[in-house]
Amino acid sequence: MGFIKEFKEFAMKGNVMDMAVGVIIGGAFGKIVSSLVDDVLMPLIGMATGNVDFTKLVCKFGEGENAAVLKYGVFIQNIVDFLIIAFCIFLMIKAMNKLMPKKEEPAAPAGPTQEELLTDIRDLLKKK
């Protein structure tokens, strides 16, 4: 099979296309949630904490240009972002699961009853 044909078959599989759509929607969803965090929630949290801008919280170790700067405020901001994004994704998946019809699992084929097994064993013993 030629390389181009093989790639075409791979790219046109349903799973690859579903994944591509998921990545694109996920990127857009991430921007929406980031805006929610940065533009709506963090200003409210800042007001509640005395107008603290978390991104400006730093701790300097040393003096001058060689000072190490620990930007723990940005870390706090990223933790809040992650928690809100994770919660939004959880809510979205929960809603999608409620909207999706439940798939009925096919019933396992019924095996032979105990009597049928005993009958088969008896018949096999009789043949020997």
Side-chain angles (χ1 to χ4, degrees):
M1 181 182 306
F3 181 78
I4 302 293
K5 185 176 179 185
E6 188 176 347
F7 177 74
K8 182 180 176 185
E9 286 180 12
F10 167 77
M12 298 314 256
K13 285 183 181 175
N15 292 344
V16 174
M17 298 304 285
D18 291 344
M19 185 177 69
V21 170
V23 167
I24 293 167
I25 290 175
F29 183 73
K31 287 182 180 182
I32 291 170
V33 174
S34 292
S35 177
L36 171 69
V37 171
D38 296 338
D39 303 328
V40 178
L41 296 178
M42 288 312 288
L44 294 174
I45 292 171
M47 282 177 43
T49 59
N51 290 328
V52 174
D53 182 3
F54 285 98
T55 59
K56 295 189 174 153
L57 296 175
V58 297
C59 185
K60 284 189 178 182
F61 297 102
E63 298 284 330
E65 291 182 25
N66 292 332
V69 178
L70 182 69
K71 297 180 180 181
Y72 67 93
V74 174
F75 182 69
I76 293 171
Q77 176 79 35
N78 288 331
I79 289 173
V80 171
D81 286 353
F82 169 77
L83 292 174
I84 292 171
I85 289 169
F87 183 69
C88 289
I89 290 172
F90 168 75
L91 292 177
M92 186 174 73
I93 290 173
K94 189 171 176 136
M96 292 297 285
N97 286 340
K98 284 191 177 190
L99 292 175
M100 298 293 287
K102 295 195 180 206
K103 294 180 182 176
E104 291 185 25
E105 294 185 22
T113 64
Q114 186 175 8
E115 289 79 17
E116 291 171 333
L117 287 173
L118 289 172
T119 303
D120 290 343
I121 293 170
R122 182 197 65 205
D123 293 344
L124 286 171
L125 288 173
K126 281 183 182 179
K127 288 181 182 176
K128 288 185 176 183

